[in-house]
Amino acid sequence: MAVLEISDLVAAWDPVTGERLPVRRSEVVAALRAAGDDRAARIVRRIPVLGDVLDPDAVDRLLIRAHTELQRLNEEVRMAERFAELLAPVLAAVRAEGIRPRVADIGCGLGFLVRSLASSGVLGPDVELVGVDFNRALVAEASRLAEDERLPCTFVCGDAFALTESAAVYLSNGVLHHFPADALPEFFRAQDRAGAQAFIHYDLAATRLAPFGAWLFHRARMREPLGRHDGVASARRAHSDNVLLSAAVQATGMETFLFEPTRYTNPLCAAMRPVVGLRPQLTGEVLRALGRRARGLVRAR
């Protein structure tokens, strides 16, 4: 049976206009029950409705609460620092090519990663940071938080498969597993475009015990039932290393790698590791800058 995440089902937008579409609770509940997930169906049944349509304001509040808890988890596992470890040498190589260091985070949610990098200034004052997400409510909240925190970053609505935001480097954090395996090649090809020099996409490692690790971690750290459910579903949906690399090589203008692949990962944890793509002219400089850490990069064959 398909593994479904509640957050993917309770909000929908027109892919062309970006306008919000009504979501019928009965249809979401039926889809979850058909997938054998009665617990998720019960969670959805508790969301307020207008008739049979999920109340969009209630959905937005729910997703913002869940993403706020997810931000705390990202802080605990130091995701911003992990990205910075790879971004710093990549951006140094980008600057050496005379290219503007613009970074776009795809599927940014509340913009934790972008806001953290902007706050720390670790990438340098010349880096332009932008977060992109299809969920307008999350983009609005990310923009509000950045304004309150007076951070030099922006957030826009956008489609991961039809990017309008140009960037030297594209990022994502826990997004890849939301796409079916047969859609991943299109996702990577969308970033193999003029001006793009690299991508870094962190996602869950598909280890045998990752769902248990995700259950334990989310149970201990998250209060929102939707977040607890989707955290485990994410681990169950994680793509294997072979699937990710096979998809990433479809960005034919990039050299692709896995950083610290699953054979180096603690199987008891829902560990995160990235797929990395580099233009060939950047690869040597980035590997030299990483030093011994470059041993963790496994090149696609």
Side-chain angles (χ1 to χ4, degrees), residues 29-228:
V29 168
L32 290 167
R33 285 179 173 165
D37 198 340
D38 290 337
R39 175 172 171 262
R42 290 194 297 272
I43 293 172
V44 172
R45 286 193 62 82
R46 293 198 290 269
I47 301 175
V49 290
L50 304 173
D52 185 40
V53 173
L54 292 172
D55 181 346
D57 292 335
V59 169
D60 289 347
R61 290 193 296 270
L62 173 60
L63 293 178
I64 288 171
R65 289 198 304 273
H67 277 264
T68 299
E69 291 188 325
L70 186 60
Q71 172 175 304
R72 186 174 68 246
L73 298 190
N74 276 282
E75 291 170 347
E76 290 186 3
V77 298
R78 305 167 77 102
M79 286 308 302
E81 293 177 35
R82 295 186 187 196
F83 272 97
E85 176 188 16
L86 293 174
L87 269 172
V90 169
L91 290 174
V94 165
R95 291 186 185 96
E97 294 290 319
I99 298 168
R100 181 176 61 151
R102 191 170 198 262
V103 176
D105 178 15
I106 303 169
C108 65
L110 293 184
F112 158 75
L113 177 59
V114 167
R115 290 188 291 110
S116 294
L117 293 172
S119 177
S120 68
V122 66
L123 301 180
D126 62 332
V127 175
E128 184 179 356
L129 294 161
V130 58
V132 183
D133 202 287
F134 209 55
N135 187 314
R136 290 176 179 267
L138 297 180
V139 168
E141 181 66 5
S143 298
R144 184 191 70 79
L145 290 169
E147 183 176 356
D148 286 351
E149 296 160 353
R150 299 183 179 181
L151 296 174
C153 55
T154 58
F155 297 92
V156 298
C157 291
D159 184 345
F161 293 90
L163 290 168
T164 58
E165 288 299 315
S166 62
V169 185
Y170 289 99
L171 316 174
S172 73
N173 184 19
V175 169
L176 297 181
H177 67 269
H178 287 278
F179 307 136
D182 59 5
L184 286 173
E186 182 183 355
F187 173 81
F188 286 105
R189 282 194 295 266
Q191 296 157 55
D192 187 10
R193 54 193 294 173
Q197 302 299 306
F199 57 72
I200 303 170
H201 297 295
Y202 264 94
D203 205 55
L204 291 159
T207 60
R208 184 170 58 86
L209 294 179
F212 172 74
W215 175 84
L216 190 65
F217 191 53
H218 286 77
R219 189 75 184 175
R221 291 292 187 262
M222 298 188 81
R223 298 177 181 176
E224 187 58 58
L226 178 148
R228 288 179 171 181

